[in-house]
mmCIF file of all heavy atoms in Angstrom:
data_model
loop_
_atom_site.group_PDB
_atom_site.id
_atom_site.type_symbol
_atom_site.label_atom_id
_atom_site.label_comp_id
_atom_site.label_asym_id
_atom_site.label_seq_id
_atom_site.Cartn_x
_atom_site.Cartn_y
_atom_site.Cartn_z
ATOM 1 N N ARG A 2 113.716 -133.805 -78.773
ATOM 2 C CA ARG A 2 112.727 -132.848 -79.247
ATOM 3 C C ARG A 2 113.345 -131.661 -79.970
ATOM 4 O O ARG A 2 112.692 -131.043 -80.778
ATOM 5 C CB ARG A 2 111.910 -132.336 -78.068
ATOM 6 C CG ARG A 2 111.017 -133.396 -77.535
ATOM 7 C CD ARG A 2 110.072 -132.844 -76.547
ATOM 8 N NE ARG A 2 110.801 -132.342 -75.368
ATOM 9 C CZ ARG A 2 110.387 -132.492 -74.133
ATOM 10 N NH1 ARG A 2 109.319 -133.189 -73.905
ATOM 11 N NH2 ARG A 2 111.070 -132.017 -73.127
ATOM 12 N N ARG A 5 117.967 -132.455 -82.673
ATOM 13 C CA ARG A 5 119.319 -133.021 -82.722
ATOM 14 C C ARG A 5 119.205 -134.462 -83.141
ATOM 15 O O ARG A 5 118.231 -135.124 -82.832
ATOM 16 C CB ARG A 5 120.043 -132.884 -81.419
ATOM 17 C CG ARG A 5 120.549 -131.463 -81.144
ATOM 18 C CD ARG A 5 121.416 -131.444 -79.914
ATOM 19 N NE ARG A 5 120.679 -131.870 -78.733
ATOM 20 C CZ ARG A 5 119.962 -131.062 -78.004
ATOM 21 N NH1 ARG A 5 119.819 -129.828 -78.341
ATOM 22 N NH2 ARG A 5 119.333 -131.512 -76.913
ATOM 23 N N ASP A 9 123.208 -143.206 -81.238
ATOM 24 C CA ASP A 9 123.204 -144.636 -81.570
ATOM 25 C C ASP A 9 122.926 -145.432 -80.310
ATOM 26 O O ASP A 9 123.409 -145.132 -79.241
ATOM 27 C CB ASP A 9 124.599 -144.963 -82.138
ATOM 28 C CG ASP A 9 124.739 -146.405 -82.516
ATOM 29 O OD1 ASP A 9 124.343 -146.756 -83.618
ATOM 30 O OD2 ASP A 9 125.253 -147.165 -81.685
ATOM 31 N N PHE A 16 126.705 -145.789 -72.148
ATOM 32 C CA PHE A 16 126.513 -144.856 -71.042
ATOM 33 C C PHE A 16 125.835 -145.536 -69.847
ATOM 34 O O PHE A 16 126.238 -145.411 -68.730
ATOM 35 C CB PHE A 16 125.604 -143.680 -71.494
ATOM 36 C CG PHE A 16 126.226 -142.788 -72.537
ATOM 37 C CD1 PHE A 16 125.400 -141.955 -73.245
ATOM 38 C CD2 PHE A 16 127.582 -142.764 -72.752
ATOM 39 C CE1 PHE A 16 125.947 -141.123 -74.225
ATOM 40 C CE2 PHE A 16 128.129 -141.937 -73.735
ATOM 41 C CZ PHE A 16 127.269 -141.108 -74.474
ATOM 42 N N ASP A 18 125.790 -148.707 -69.184
ATOM 43 C CA ASP A 18 126.720 -149.681 -68.584
ATOM 44 C C ASP A 18 127.707 -148.969 -67.639
ATOM 45 O O ASP A 18 127.991 -149.461 -66.575
ATOM 46 C CB ASP A 18 127.514 -150.409 -69.665
ATOM 47 C CG ASP A 18 126.616 -151.386 -70.472
ATOM 48 O OD1 ASP A 18 125.484 -151.696 -70.025
ATOM 49 O OD2 ASP A 18 127.064 -151.794 -71.583
ATOM 50 N N ARG A 33 123.576 -142.002 -47.490
ATOM 51 C CA ARG A 33 124.321 -141.700 -46.265
ATOM 52 C C ARG A 33 124.379 -140.172 -46.051
ATOM 53 O O ARG A 33 124.235 -139.704 -44.935
ATOM 54 C CB ARG A 33 125.722 -142.293 -46.312
ATOM 55 C CG ARG A 33 125.717 -143.817 -46.072
ATOM 56 C CD ARG A 33 127.134 -144.368 -45.949
ATOM 57 N NE ARG A 33 127.938 -144.230 -47.167
ATOM 58 C CZ ARG A 33 127.848 -145.012 -48.230
ATOM 59 N NH1 ARG A 33 127.000 -146.000 -48.248
ATOM 60 N NH2 ARG A 33 128.630 -144.800 -49.304
ATOM 61 N N GLY A 40 125.550 -129.541 -43.551
ATOM 62 C CA GLY A 40 126.529 -128.436 -43.525
ATOM 63 C C GLY A 40 127.968 -128.897 -43.652
ATOM 64 O O GLY A 40 128.872 -128.034 -43.711
ATOM 65 N N GLY A 49 131.614 -136.907 -51.421
ATOM 66 C CA GLY A 49 132.924 -136.298 -51.619
ATOM 67 C C GLY A 49 134.040 -137.333 -51.658
ATOM 68 O O GLY A 49 134.950 -137.294 -52.462
ATOM 69 N N LEU A 55 137.556 -141.443 -57.828
ATOM 70 C CA LEU A 55 137.320 -141.725 -59.242
ATOM 71 C C LEU A 55 138.222 -140.939 -60.176
ATOM 72 O O LEU A 55 138.599 -139.783 -59.871
ATOM 73 C CB LEU A 55 135.869 -141.438 -59.582
ATOM 74 C CG LEU A 55 134.828 -142.272 -58.879
ATOM 75 C CD1 LEU A 55 133.421 -141.752 -59.198
ATOM 76 C CD2 LEU A 55 134.945 -143.757 -59.290
ATOM 77 N N MET A 65 126.890 -138.286 -64.954
ATOM 78 C CA MET A 65 125.710 -138.654 -65.797
ATOM 79 C C MET A 65 124.673 -139.417 -64.956
ATOM 80 O O MET A 65 123.477 -139.184 -65.137
ATOM 81 C CB MET A 65 126.209 -139.474 -66.985
ATOM 82 C CG MET A 65 127.019 -138.614 -67.945
ATOM 83 S SD MET A 65 127.801 -139.584 -69.261
ATOM 84 C CE MET A 65 126.371 -140.125 -70.188
ATOM 85 N N TRP A 66 125.122 -140.313 -64.079
ATOM 86 C CA TRP A 66 124.157 -141.041 -63.229
ATOM 87 C C TRP A 66 123.429 -140.081 -62.303
ATOM 88 O O TRP A 66 122.180 -140.125 -62.215
ATOM 89 C CB TRP A 66 124.877 -142.102 -62.451
ATOM 90 C CG TRP A 66 123.888 -142.851 -61.572
ATOM 91 C CD1 TRP A 66 123.158 -143.944 -61.944
ATOM 92 C CD2 TRP A 66 123.503 -142.537 -60.236
ATOM 93 N NE1 TRP A 66 122.325 -144.326 -60.894
ATOM 94 C CE2 TRP A 66 122.517 -143.498 -59.827
ATOM 95 C CE3 TRP A 66 123.906 -141.565 -59.339
ATOM 96 C CZ2 TRP A 66 121.938 -143.475 -58.581
ATOM 97 C CZ3 TRP A 66 123.306 -141.523 -58.071
ATOM 98 C CH2 TRP A 66 122.349 -142.477 -57.714
ATOM 99 N N HIS A 69 120.978 -137.967 -64.261
ATOM 100 C CA HIS A 69 119.826 -138.793 -64.606
ATOM 101 C C HIS A 69 118.949 -138.994 -63.398
ATOM 102 O O HIS A 69 117.706 -138.841 -63.477
ATOM 103 C CB HIS A 69 120.353 -140.134 -65.143
ATOM 104 C CG HIS A 69 119.284 -141.144 -65.495
ATOM 105 N ND1 HIS A 69 118.459 -140.978 -66.560
ATOM 106 C CD2 HIS A 69 118.950 -142.311 -64.930
ATOM 107 C CE1 HIS A 69 117.595 -142.006 -66.627
ATOM 108 N NE2 HIS A 69 117.943 -142.857 -65.663
ATOM 109 N N THR A 79 116.197 -133.891 -53.547
ATOM 110 C CA THR A 79 117.386 -134.120 -54.328
ATOM 111 C C THR A 79 118.541 -133.141 -53.965
ATOM 112 O O THR A 79 119.471 -133.029 -54.727
ATOM 113 C CB THR A 79 117.119 -133.994 -55.847
ATOM 114 O OG1 THR A 79 116.581 -132.684 -56.079
ATOM 115 C CG2 THR A 79 116.138 -135.040 -56.280
ATOM 116 N N VAL A 81 120.978 -133.380 -51.949
ATOM 117 C CA VAL A 81 122.280 -134.058 -51.922
ATOM 118 C C VAL A 81 122.712 -134.389 -53.336
ATOM 119 O O VAL A 81 123.868 -134.200 -53.698
ATOM 120 C CB VAL A 81 122.201 -135.318 -51.031
ATOM 121 C CG1 VAL A 81 123.466 -136.120 -51.135
ATOM 122 C CG2 VAL A 81 121.919 -134.923 -49.601
ATOM 123 N N ARG A 87 126.492 -130.393 -58.892
ATOM 124 C CA ARG A 87 127.202 -129.067 -58.924
ATOM 125 C C ARG A 87 128.709 -129.272 -58.687
ATOM 126 O O ARG A 87 129.526 -128.586 -59.336
ATOM 127 C CB ARG A 87 126.643 -128.143 -57.873
ATOM 128 C CG ARG A 87 125.346 -127.482 -58.290
ATOM 129 C CD ARG A 87 124.950 -126.348 -57.351
ATOM 130 N NE ARG A 87 124.888 -126.716 -55.946
ATOM 131 C CZ ARG A 87 123.810 -127.235 -55.307
ATOM 132 N NH1 ARG A 87 122.718 -127.415 -55.967
ATOM 133 N NH2 ARG A 87 123.887 -127.555 -54.044
ATOM 134 N N ASP A 100 128.669 -136.698 -77.447
ATOM 135 C CA ASP A 100 127.555 -137.666 -77.186
ATOM 136 C C ASP A 100 127.080 -137.657 -75.758
ATOM 137 O O ASP A 100 125.901 -137.720 -75.462
ATOM 138 C CB ASP A 100 127.978 -139.065 -77.605
ATOM 139 C CG ASP A 100 128.006 -139.262 -79.102
ATOM 140 O OD1 ASP A 100 127.428 -138.461 -79.851
ATOM 141 O OD2 ASP A 100 128.658 -140.219 -79.514
ATOM 142 N N ARG A 103 125.030 -134.500 -75.489
ATOM 143 C CA ARG A 103 123.751 -134.727 -76.147
ATOM 144 C C ARG A 103 122.785 -135.544 -75.283
ATOM 145 O O ARG A 103 121.603 -135.224 -75.183
ATOM 146 C CB ARG A 103 123.959 -135.472 -77.457
ATOM 147 C CG ARG A 103 124.317 -134.598 -78.609
ATOM 148 C CD ARG A 103 124.313 -135.400 -79.926
ATOM 149 N NE ARG A 103 125.014 -134.677 -80.935
ATOM 150 C CZ ARG A 103 126.269 -134.844 -81.258
ATOM 151 N NH1 ARG A 103 126.983 -135.753 -80.671
ATOM 152 N NH2 ARG A 103 126.810 -134.066 -82.164
ATOM 153 N N GLU A 108 118.007 -135.719 -71.526
ATOM 154 C CA GLU A 108 117.465 -135.954 -70.218
ATOM 155 C C GLU A 108 116.852 -134.647 -69.661
ATOM 156 O O GLU A 108 115.798 -134.623 -69.069
ATOM 157 C CB GLU A 108 118.547 -136.431 -69.233
ATOM 158 C CG GLU A 108 119.082 -137.798 -69.546
ATOM 159 C CD GLU A 108 118.139 -138.858 -69.050
ATOM 160 O OE1 GLU A 108 117.862 -138.928 -67.833
ATOM 161 O OE2 GLU A 108 117.678 -139.645 -69.889
ATOM 162 N N ALA A 116 112.084 -129.074 -63.516
ATOM 163 C CA ALA A 116 113.362 -129.492 -62.953
ATOM 164 C C ALA A 116 114.281 -128.307 -63.077
ATOM 165 O O ALA A 116 115.012 -128.170 -64.077
ATOM 166 C CB ALA A 116 113.878 -130.739 -63.631
ATOM 167 N N HIS A 118 117.157 -127.263 -62.070
ATOM 168 C CA HIS A 118 118.611 -127.326 -62.277
ATOM 169 C C HIS A 118 118.998 -128.300 -63.392
ATOM 170 O O HIS A 118 120.115 -128.783 -63.417
ATOM 171 C CB HIS A 118 119.300 -127.764 -60.962
ATOM 172 C CG HIS A 118 118.941 -126.861 -59.837
ATOM 173 N ND1 HIS A 118 119.486 -125.615 -59.682
ATOM 174 C CD2 HIS A 118 118.053 -126.991 -58.806
ATOM 175 C CE1 HIS A 118 118.988 -125.033 -58.607
ATOM 176 N NE2 HIS A 118 118.120 -125.850 -58.065
ATOM 177 N N PRO A 123 124.976 -130.428 -67.982
ATOM 178 C CA PRO A 123 125.187 -130.349 -69.421
ATOM 179 C C PRO A 123 125.822 -128.991 -69.850
ATOM 180 O O PRO A 123 126.650 -128.957 -70.742
ATOM 181 C CB PRO A 123 123.855 -130.516 -70.085
ATOM 182 C CG PRO A 123 122.876 -130.777 -69.014
ATOM 183 C CD PRO A 123 123.588 -130.758 -67.669
ATOM 184 N N PRO A 132 133.967 -124.905 -79.880
ATOM 185 C CA PRO A 132 132.866 -124.027 -80.298
ATOM 186 C C PRO A 132 132.058 -124.653 -81.479
ATOM 187 O O PRO A 132 130.840 -124.490 -81.500
ATOM 188 C CB PRO A 132 133.547 -122.735 -80.761
ATOM 189 C CG PRO A 132 134.834 -122.723 -79.942
ATOM 190 C CD PRO A 132 135.247 -124.147 -79.824
ATOM 191 N N LEU A 138 124.977 -128.334 -80.656
ATOM 192 C CA LEU A 138 124.217 -128.811 -79.514
ATOM 193 C C LEU A 138 123.392 -127.771 -78.811
ATOM 194 O O LEU A 138 122.405 -128.118 -78.131
ATOM 195 C CB LEU A 138 125.200 -129.355 -78.438
ATOM 196 C CG LEU A 138 126.111 -130.508 -78.842
ATOM 197 C CD1 LEU A 138 127.041 -130.841 -77.679
ATOM 198 C CD2 LEU A 138 125.274 -131.693 -79.241
ATOM 199 N N THR A 153 121.638 -113.754 -83.827
ATOM 200 C CA THR A 153 120.849 -113.884 -85.069
ATOM 201 C C THR A 153 121.438 -112.933 -86.111
ATOM 202 O O THR A 153 120.722 -112.477 -87.007
ATOM 203 C CB THR A 153 119.354 -113.547 -84.783
ATOM 204 O OG1 THR A 153 119.310 -112.276 -84.204
ATOM 205 C CG2 THR A 153 118.717 -114.582 -83.904
ATOM 206 N N ALA A 155 123.296 -111.597 -89.369
ATOM 207 C CA ALA A 155 123.424 -112.093 -90.737
ATOM 208 C C ALA A 155 124.881 -112.338 -91.039
ATOM 209 O O ALA A 155 125.750 -111.602 -90.616
ATOM 210 C CB ALA A 155 122.843 -111.037 -91.738
#
Side-chain angles (χ1 to χ4, degrees):
R2 291 189 295 223
R5 284 188 299 276
D9 180 85
F16 295 161
D18 291 344
R33 284 187 297 280
L55 297 171
M65 291 172 68
W66 180 86
H69 177 69
T79 58
V81 173
R87 282 192 306 271
D100 285 342
R103 276 188 194 97
E108 292 281 301
H118 303 284
L138 300 176
T153 56

